[in-house]
Amino acid sequence: MTSTGEQRLARRQQLQRALLGAVGGLLLLFLALPVLGLVAGTSWADFRAGLAHPLVWPALRLSLLTTLVSLVVTVALGTPLSWTLAHTRGRWARAAETLVQLPIVIPPAVAGIAMLLAFGRRGLLAGWLYPEGWSVTFTTSAVVLAQIFVSAPFFVQAAVSAFRRIEPNLLIVARTFGASPWRVFLRVGLPLAAPGLAAGAILSWARALGEFGATLMFAGNLEGRTQTLPLAIYTALEADLRAAQALSIVLMAVAVALLLGVRAALGTAPSRAVSSSRAVSVPAGGP
Amino acid sequence: MAAAGLRARVTGRIGGLALAFDLEVSAGPLAVVGPNGAGKTSLLLMLLGVLRPESGSIELGEHVLFDPARGVDLPVEGRELGYVPQDYALFPHLSVRQNIEFALQCRAGLAPDEVEQRTGQALAELKLTALGERRVTALSGGEKQRVALARALSVRPRALLLDEPLAAFDIAARRQTRAFLADYLGKLELPTIVVTHDAADARALGARIAVLEAGRIVQAGSWAELEARPASAFVAEFVAEFVQA
Amino acid sequence: MIMTPRLSTRFSPLRRLWLCAALVLLASCQQKEAPAPTPAPAAAPAPAARQTLTIFAAASLRDAFGSLRDEFIKTHTDVDIAFNFAGSQDLRTQIEHAAPADVFASADKKNMNELQQASKVGAPAVFARNEPVVVVAQESAASVASFADLPKLKRIVIGGPDVPIGRYTGQILDNASKSLAADFRQRVEANVVSRELDVRQVLNKVVLGEANAGVVYRTDANSAKHKVGIVTIPPELNVIAEYPIAIVSGSTHAEAAAEWVKFVLSLAGQALLQQAGFIAPAGPPPT
């Protein structure tokens, strides 16, 4: 190999890397510009005025409270579901997986209407679930329900993926020792999938924090009871764009702080190896 | 008293491959060899209970593990077979000691101090006591293998299945580990099956050898028998391989 | 590694890629600035004389303007009309940010005046008036004989404080507190479960039976006549909404816009508006 050949190869590799970087950088720029626009377009005075806006603190408190509850419910119910889906073959399991992903593609406002039709006063369950005339709509619980509906799919998707990545041999040997399904799940599955589950939980929580359309439709918009921060921002928009800008920055700041905090708490470990080395692929078999 | 033998007579279909085995393991380990895709790993998975044969029976001494005619199909958890997969399947989030403790804790009715005692025993037997607190990800290939063996044997299985135990070793380490393994398995007195594609491994580890081709056992016997009267072209080539190694 | 001489020719794969990227960038730079996104479906600009008139109108004008359009295009065959219906305050914000509207019809004078002061619209003319009414869900219709019964209902939905209908509702409640009972407004507000962001959402909640009552315009109530009960607000308490219309400054279809405004103010247009339940712009409010 001649040295000019080597030089050409090196240059070609450099150009390819630059191209990849440029293409990726384009998307990064696109995502960053509106955020920069929001921050740059809001003066410090406007921001302080926004912080003092009467809508802010009730809305922030409500957002944090409801998203926390939503997250706990999502993880508590979603983890066993994901484990089951990850290990069940057959068309019912695949259908269930598709069902779980549906809320992602439904426009949030439509999701809100759908929830009204299911859980509303005249909805599917009205006769059985509620005392006469009452329904869950317009309550803080409705906010939590709307958040779970739109955000749980993100968690389940990530969790199923994380559980599937566990080397099957690890689960097989655990069973050969006589481990019950519960023990396999708790002592092998959960610890090994934990980073993936955590990532899914963060994603799900972020989606719940930003949830607007379904909340507005299903839970309504009442300060202190159902007006989450995104709803407060939109309501502020009616009156005063700059107040809405300031509130948006508050929401972003809270989200960033929580995201960074969670990552720090979990440790930014790259996905740990789920087995000590690559396994021979086990042939899929059985009914 | 020597452990009771493992007898498996099953047919099944995995992917597009039709499988039919009839094998018996009692005195001395059985090496199962064959080309890729012959069904060697499927055989192990059927014995373990991960894959279900279509018909036949699997018996271990007087325990029936599988026999649809008699309505028996023990789940994986109930067969009490030891399994050492090719990648050893050590739990990466646990230390060496914790890996073995895990296996023992899965057995119902073992008191904590008995668990501790048997863990110590298992570690000592395979000279792993010094490595007890080590993370399994920080072990060498040979050490990992010994941990996997210790773990599998700590719960006193009725038989032992090993899948390509030496595949991860380089030539030098391979020879050394092969000698260790041959010696250790020989002393175990447990029905043992070793799946391997390597002729030298089969010759050293297996008291008898079963050759699997396209889902069927084409020949079973000692190395000498295979050498003298190879039943197929593959067997002949396989035996010849050893001379070159 | 075999180094082929191809790398040094002018059309290596990598260089081709760069050329394509450069051409794409050049082409996109030369394109005219794309218009700001609006929620309304805009017909593609057609060749020759055909033009699309973009009308931003308050949500309560949806049905009436729809009928007006059907009439208008009979006599103006070269004009397509694209509507953007939303809360007047939202539309005002969009126009402030140079949304490509040609005409703006607001549900109150406040939003229009603000735009006029900022020179974003031409001189406005009031083209219709609308009477707020109370709509009551079918389940609750029996318990409401008159407006004075409103505080009895448990789940009331009204417009947000910066939505025109919400502002009118506030004024009506204040009037009621002065005339009917000092705590009228307080009692009603204690039962408010949501402050919606446009009048149609208020109506929807009542139609769906989620809310027992809401305050909307007569025109909205008429559109849902058979699904809800309508309770008239006593004229001495009521605040009649005045709807101004104006041409947006800088509209590129000023002539067609003027035609539309003329039609709206014409006898034919007024007849259609009154059919939908609007009141004539001048003259005494209904008794």
Side-chain angles (χ1 to χ4, degrees):
Chain A
M1 194 186 297
T2 65
S3 72
T4 37
E6 282 170 356
Q7 272 171 6
R8 272 195 219 124
L9 175 64
R11 247 186 75 70
R12 185 160 151 226
Q13 287 175 342
Q14 256 182 334
L15 282 173
Q16 287 177 353
R17 263 183 235 122
L19 180 64
L20 283 172
V23 168
L26 210 59
L27 180 63
L28 209 58
L29 193 65
F30 176 73
L31 295 176
L33 279 174
V35 174
L36 290 174
L38 187 59
V39 174
T42 308
S43 74
W44 187 241
D46 283 340
F47 181 66
R48 279 212 309 272
L51 277 184
H53 199 287
L55 292 181
V56 172
W57 298 106
L60 183 58
R61 247 199 323 272
L62 190 68
S63 275
L64 291 177
L65 176 68
T66 50
T67 52
L68 184 65
V69 174
S70 303
L71 183 63
V72 168
V73 174
T74 296
V75 171
L77 299 182
T79 307
L81 172 65
S82 308
W83 175 258
T84 308
L85 286 177
H87 293 114
T88 310
R89 295 200 191 93
R91 73 179 88 95
W92 289 113
R94 301 290 75 78
E97 264 185 85
T98 307
L99 179 67
V100 167
Q101 289 169 347
L102 273 182
I104 297 178
V105 299
I106 299 178
V110 173
I113 293 174
M115 295 187 79
L116 279 178
L117 293 172
F119 306 114
R121 258 205 191 156
R122 293 187 195 152
L124 282 177
L125 296 182
W128 302 318
L129 214 52
Y130 305 132
E132 186 55 46
W134 188 84
S135 78
V136 77
T137 43
F138 301 127
T139 61
T140 309
S141 308
V143 176
V144 171
L145 292 177
Q147 287 174 351
I148 294 174
F149 187 81
V150 302
S151 67
F154 292 98
F155 175 74
V156 172
Q157 262 190 336
V160 169
S161 201
F163 284 135
R164 283 212 176 110
R165 273 199 301 270
I166 301 178
E167 290 292 349
N169 275 338
L170 289 168
L171 305 175
I172 293 175
V173 298
R175 293 173 68 193
T176 60
F177 301 140
S180 64
W182 179 250
R183 182 182 284 268
V184 175
F185 167 67
L186 198 61
R187 303 277 317 277
V188 184
L190 272 187
L192 291 177
L197 295 183
I202 291 175
L203 197 60
S204 159
W205 170 78
R207 176 67 188 87
L209 189 64
E211 167 44 38
F212 173 78
T215 312
L216 184 58
M217 192 61 68
F218 184 56
N221 181 25
L222 197 68
E223 187 188 314
R225 195 190 302 172
T226 55
Q227 189 176 74
T228 55
L229 200 45
L231 258 61
I233 291 173
Y234 204 82
T235 303
L237 208 51
E238 313 279 282
D240 182 0
L241 180 59
R242 289 167 313 165
Q245 280 174 238
L247 292 182
S248 302
I249 295 180
V250 171
L251 181 59
M252 279 196 317
V254 169
V256 169
L258 278 166
L259 278 170
L260 291 178
V262 171
R263 280 228 201 98
L266 294 177
T268 45
S271 51
R272 277 185 284 162
V274 293
S275 80
S276 40
S277 64
R278 291 250 151 260
V280 145
S281 61
V282 174
Chain B
M1 190 175 84
L6 170 68
R7 181 79 201 264
R9 248 175 314 207
V10 294
T11 61
R13 175 163 284 275
I14 305 299
L17 188 63
L19 301 155
F21 312 123
D22 182 350
L23 53 82
E24 194 171 339
V25 190
S26 39
L30 174 72
V32 174
V33 305
N36 277 337
K40 305 195 292 293
T41 306
S42 303
L43 183 152
L44 287 186
L45 294 176
M46 278 192 189
L47 294 173
L48 284 167
V50 175
L51 297 177
R52 184 179 293 117
E54 274 162 27
S55 70
S57 71
I58 302 173
E59 289 159 29
L60 195 49
E62 68 245 7
H63 304 282
V64 178
L65 302 183
F66 174 80
D67 192 346
R70 281 183 271 175
V72 179
D73 182 7
L74 290 186
V76 175
E77 293 83 348
R79 296 197 180 191
E80 295 191 40
L81 298 172
Y83 180 40
V84 180
Q86 184 173 333
D87 61 344
Y88 310 126
L90 298 179
F91 301 121
H93 60 297
L94 301 176
S95 69
V96 167
R97 175 180 297 272
Q98 286 168 334
N99 262 270
I100 300 176
E101 281 173 351
F102 179 94
L104 289 163
Q105 283 159 356
C106 292
R107 283 266 175 276
L110 275 186
D113 36 307
E114 202 183 333
V115 167
E116 200 184 317
Q117 186 210 28
R118 279 169 66 165
T119 305
Q121 262 176 2
L123 286 170
E125 217 176 275
L126 280 143
K127 308 201 179 24
L128 293 165
T129 318
L131 297 172
E133 307 313 316
R134 202 68 90 74
R135 289 272 132 198
V136 299
T137 41
L139 298 175
S140 74
E143 289 163 346
K144 281 185 191 160
Q145 190 188 70
R146 285 185 287 148
V147 176
L149 277 171
R151 185 180 64 173
L153 295 168
S154 69
V155 290
R156 298 191 192 138
R158 298 183 187 137
L160 186 62
L161 310 175
L162 297 115
D163 196 348
E164 304 277 7
L166 298 169
F169 292 87
D170 61 48
I171 309 259
R174 198 171 186 132
R175 220 172 281 150
Q176 207 181 359
T177 316
R178 189 185 298 137
F180 155 74
L181 206 52
D183 181 61
Y184 191 77
L185 294 179
K187 290 202 209 119
L188 262 184
E189 293 193 350
L190 207 58
T192 304
I193 297 182
V194 180
V195 163
T196 180
H197 66 277
D198 182 283
D201 291 350
R203 190 171 184 276
L205 301 173
R208 290 172 65 241
I209 299 166
V211 182
L212 210 58
E213 275 183 69
R216 288 185 150 59
I217 299 180
V218 301
Q219 187 169 14
S222 68
W223 179 269
E225 285 166 25
L226 263 56
E227 206 171 15
R229 267 184 306 278
S232 76
F234 173 79
V235 180
E237 269 173 43
F238 184 77
V239 172
E241 222 179 271
F242 172 71
V243 180
Q244 292 162 5
Chain C
M1 170 83 69
I2 302 164
M3 303 301 291
T4 67
R6 265 191 309 145
L7 280 171
S8 66
T9 66
R10 294 169 71 203
F11 299 112
S12 72
L14 188 59
R15 293 212 188 191
R16 265 185 240 146
L17 194 55
W18 276 116
L19 273 168
C20 285
L23 283 170
V24 166
L25 278 169
L26 272 173
S28 57
C29 283
Q30 282 174 2
Q31 237 173 32
K32 273 208 291 273
E33 199 181 58
T38 70
R50 193 147 200 93
Q51 37 182 338
T52 301
L53 198 58
T54 306
I55 300 176
F56 281 21
S60 44
L61 287 163
R62 186 181 286 271
D63 297 329
F65 268 26
S67 327
L68 278 148
R69 168 184 44 195
D70 294 339
E71 270 308 307
F72 186 80
I73 57 179
K74 286 185 195 158
T75 49
H76 298 77
T77 48
D78 59 342
V79 180
D80 291 318
I81 295 187
F83 287 119
N84 178 10
F85 293 114
S88 310
Q89 67 292 349
D90 286 336
L91 299 170
R92 186 204 81 226
T93 304
Q94 288 173 23
I95 293 174
E96 273 169 359
H97 286 78
D102 299 304
V103 178
F104 178 42
S106 173
D108 65 359
K109 284 180 159 175
K110 178 171 186 287
N111 283 303
M112 185 65 82
N113 290 343
E114 284 179 18
L115 283 177
Q116 194 188 11
Q117 274 167 9
S119 302
K120 299 282 184 180
V121 296
V126 172
F127 68 96
R129 292 184 294 168
N130 212 347
E131 176 203 353
V133 298
V134 173
V135 285
V136 185
Q138 283 166 341
E139 295 96 326
S140 317
S143 51
V144 183
S146 72
F147 178 70
D149 293 327
L150 185 58
K152 280 200 285 182
L153 294 172
K154 283 296 155 203
R155 296 174 138 204
I156 301 174
V157 171
I158 59 178
D162 294 290
V163 183
I165 188 64
R167 234 193 333 270
Y168 298 135
T169 307
Q171 291 166 4
I172 294 167
L173 291 175
D174 278 337
N175 293 346
S177 289
K178 288 190 203 119
S179 310
L180 290 179
D183 60 351
F184 192 87
R185 176 167 188 161
Q186 219 179 335
R187 280 190 294 143
V188 168
E189 284 191 340
N191 291 339
V192 164
V193 288
S194 186
R195 297 180 207 275
E196 298 295 332
L197 299 174
D198 78 48
V199 67
R200 283 289 158 144
Q201 295 310 320
V202 177
L203 182 66
N204 282 342
K205 294 287 163 78
V206 178
V207 165
L208 283 169
E210 291 307 325
N212 293 328
V215 178
V216 300
Y217 299 114
R218 171 142 335 251
T219 49
D220 302 300
N222 285 354
S223 72
K225 218 178 336 216
H226 305 291
K227 303 183 204 157
V228 293
I230 302 178
V231 175
T232 308
I233 300 177
E236 65 271 16
L237 302 175
N238 211 349
V239 177
I240 305 298
E242 294 190 283
Y243 283 51
I245 189 170
I247 300 175
V248 178
S249 314
S251 155
T252 47
H253 306 282
E255 258 184 51
E259 287 290 305
W260 172 263
V261 174
K262 196 165 118 199
F263 179 61
V264 166
L265 293 168
S266 71
L267 278 173
Q270 289 290 301
L272 285 169
L273 285 164
Q274 270 137 53
Q275 239 177 349
F278 285 94
I279 313 163
T287 48

